[in-house]
């Protein structure tokens, strides 16, 4: 699937589902227009959402396989940016309530 990413098919998601575990667990890849890979993963909650970029398809493949098998070493190949703030619910602080 990774090798087939291209124009019109530039995104893939691998998701872990377990009825006993709450949250969203996934890793996803976007092949950007400049032929770099944007890699993101989430560990259950929005507060644990990270992103990186690379030109190496091989490193992305190792990350996907490492994530799928539950090892942690795959993270070491990258410098991760914490993007959890992009997924926080909007603040209601300072907004006036409208009543009818």
């Amino acid at each position: 699937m990774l090798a087939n990413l291209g124009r019109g098919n530039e995104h893939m998601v691998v998701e872990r589902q377990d009825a006993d575990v709450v949250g969203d667990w996934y890793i996803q890849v976007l092949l950007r227009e400049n032929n770099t890979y944007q890699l993101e993963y989430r560990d259950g909650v929005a507060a644990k959402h990270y992103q990186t970029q690379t030109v190496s398809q091989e490193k992305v493949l190792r990350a996907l396989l490492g994530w799928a098998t539950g090892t942690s070493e795959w993270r070491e190949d990258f410098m991760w940016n914490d993007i959890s703030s992009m997924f926080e619910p909007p603040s209601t602080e300072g907004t006036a309530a409208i009543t009818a």
Side-chain angles (χ1 to χ4, degrees):
M1 289 176 61
L2 178 63
N4 290 326
L5 291 182
R7 190 179 315 256
N9 182 34
E10 59 275 336
H11 187 251
M12 70 175 281
V13 179
V14 180
E15 186 175 13
R16 182 175 293 130
Q17 295 183 339
D18 186 339
D20 297 331
V21 179
V22 177
D24 295 319
W25 300 80
Y26 60 83
I27 189 166
Q28 61 184 356
V29 180
L30 171 68
L31 179 59
R32 300 171 61 92
E33 287 186 19
N34 63 359
N35 290 322
T36 60
Y37 294 92
Q38 180 174 307
L39 186 62
E40 293 181 20
Y41 75 95
R42 181 181 287 209
D43 278 347
V45 295
K48 294 183 179 182
H49 197 124
Y50 303 93
Q51 180 185 83
T52 192
Q53 291 187 25
T54 183
V55 295
S56 174
Q57 186 183 69
E58 183 178 321
K59 285 173 71 174
V60 172
L61 179 59
R62 282 197 311 263
L64 291 169
L65 294 173
W67 182 89
T69 59
T71 64
S72 62
E73 294 81 23
W74 61 269
R75 291 182 182 103
E76 297 170 6
D77 283 342
F78 306 97
M79 292 190 61
W80 294 97
N81 298 307
D82 183 343
I83 61 169
S84 58
S85 63
M86 295 173 56
F87 303 95
E88 292 175 355
S91 174
T92 58
E93 193 173 305
T95 58
I98 299 174
T99 57

